[in-house]
Amino acid sequence: LEVSTELARIEHHAAEAELLSGGLYLSLGLHQEATRIFDRLLAGPVPQSVSDRAYFYLARIGYQRGYYAEAARSLDRIRAPLAGKLESERRLLASNVLMAQGRYVEAAGALQATTDDDWAPYARFNLGVALVRAGDPVQGRRWLESVGTMPVRDDEQRALRDRANLALGFSLLQEQAGEPAIAALSRVRLEGPFSNRALLGLGWAETDARRLDRALVPWLELREGRLLDASVQESFLAVPYAYAKLASNGQAAQQYRFAVDAYAKEAQRIDESIAAIREAGFLDAILAAAP
């Protein structure tokens, strides 16, 4: 693209070429370079279709970098619906920006007009979360249920389905609805990015259902994971809590001691890491391990 631009082979499509170039840099995670290109593009006279897409990409950069007010301003400058699937992505991005700002009611309103394209499941998930946080848990859970039970065709959609069931399960846990929470959390895959949180929640759901012996099953499984995970850390306290509630005080005391020892070892590893970072050569060692 840069060669063709330099040789003036696409002079009649210069604005589109700049837009494509900025989009490519954005997809590579080079936000500053992409922003520079979009700003330069918007400084000159360009067709509205080009400027609208440039503002959309700037909004996406702002959201990804945590500049939510700037992202909202860029979205407000889009004057017409975007072409193709970009319009659905724009609505989804707008809802994400609103939720990041705590404006859940507005986010739910922005997502009501959902479509049947590839972005629709994400819109339904966001709508469910927005409604739950806006104080309408019944409607919110209905949308989360629709995503949590949808047929999937790839790993990305499986992860979204797991995330919806996790959100649904924890929303039900807040009302101590043990059985419905168990149904939702049991749909989360054991081998996935949300499995640890689901196992933790499943144990608490069994506790709400007054089945503490069954709560121990996911918690003991979870405790075998890496202690760096917050859900694993909580399982170290949940297990002795369950034994205490089952009047197995000896086992509870033993498990609390086990947790204290594990936390102490982890704290020691953290101290050793801090000391290593402060010493010279730490960065060189990392680069040597992963050149």
Side-chain angles (χ1 to χ4, degrees):
L1 181 61
E2 290 176 354
V3 168
S4 296
T5 302
E6 184 69 23
L7 296 177
R9 291 174 178 169
I10 49 176
E11 55 184 323
H12 298 298
H13 304 281
E16 289 283 351
E18 282 279 89
L19 190 65
L20 175 58
S21 178
L24 289 171
Y25 277 113
L26 176 58
S27 69
L28 290 168
L30 301 172
H31 294 159
Q32 290 182 330
E33 181 66 16
T35 301
R36 185 183 64 80
I37 292 172
F38 293 134
D39 287 341
R40 184 179 66 217
L41 183 64
L42 291 167
V46 291
Q48 181 183 326
S49 61
V50 173
S51 65
D52 283 349
R53 277 180 288 165
Y55 280 125
F56 165 74
Y57 287 127
L58 281 174
R60 193 159 71 178
I61 291 172
Y63 174 73
Q64 290 175 352
R65 299 181 72 182
Y67 302 149
Y68 304 126
E70 291 182 13
R73 284 194 293 271
S74 294
L75 288 169
D76 289 340
R77 292 189 176 101
I78 298 174
R79 292 175 288 172
L82 300 175
K85 295 181 179 180
L86 277 184
E87 178 59 21
S88 296
E89 191 177 353
R90 182 196 63 78
R91 287 199 301 269
L92 185 65
L93 177 61
S95 70
N96 285 338
V97 171
L98 289 169
M99 285 197 289
Q101 294 176 311
R103 298 157 63 184
Y104 301 113
V105 175
E106 294 174 69
L111 282 165
Q112 289 292 347
T114 56
T115 60
D116 291 327
D117 59 22
D118 291 340
W119 292 103
Y122 298 92
R124 290 196 295 270
F125 171 78
N126 280 8
L127 180 57
V129 172
L131 288 169
V132 168
R133 292 180 175 175
D136 190 356
V138 175
Q139 286 297 321
R141 289 175 195 143
R142 183 170 67 85
W143 287 105
L144 291 173
E145 182 81 23
S146 72
V147 180
T149 55
M150 70 178 184
V152 296
R153 60 175 182 269
D154 53 38
D155 286 341
E156 188 173 347
Q157 289 191 347
R158 289 186 188 93
L160 179 64
R161 186 174 63 183
D162 286 348
R163 191 178 177 191
N165 283 314
L166 185 68
L168 177 61
F170 272 86
S171 173
L172 291 163
L173 274 176
Q174 290 180 343
E175 297 184 4
Q176 295 184 324
E179 294 294 349
I182 290 169
L185 292 168
S186 296
R187 292 197 292 261
V188 179
R189 292 171 297 159
L190 280 176
E191 299 295 331
F194 305 104
S195 57
N196 284 357
R197 288 281 293 164
L199 286 170
L200 179 65
L202 189 58
W204 288 118
E206 294 286 6
T207 301
D208 288 340
R210 303 184 184 280
R211 295 194 292 261
L212 283 158
D213 54 334
R214 293 179 61 173
L216 280 168
V217 176
W219 284 344
L220 287 170
E221 172 71 22
L222 180 58
R223 203 179 62 174
E224 298 302 314
R226 297 182 64 198
L227 194 55
L228 290 174
D229 188 288
S231 298
V232 176
Q233 292 171 17
E234 187 170 342
S235 71
F236 275 70
L237 296 178
V239 168
Y241 165 83
Y243 278 123
K245 288 292 185 180
L246 289 168
S248 299
N249 294 329
Q251 285 181 292
Q254 182 182 0
Q255 294 298 327
Y256 275 125
R257 283 193 291 269
F258 182 80
V260 169
D261 290 342
Y263 290 147
K265 290 177 182 177
E266 190 61 33
Q268 182 179 354
R269 280 194 289 267
I270 292 172
D271 290 339
E272 290 171 354
S273 297
I274 292 172
I277 290 168
R278 288 174 175 165
E279 292 177 359
F282 179 76
L283 182 58
D284 292 335
I286 290 179
L287 294 176

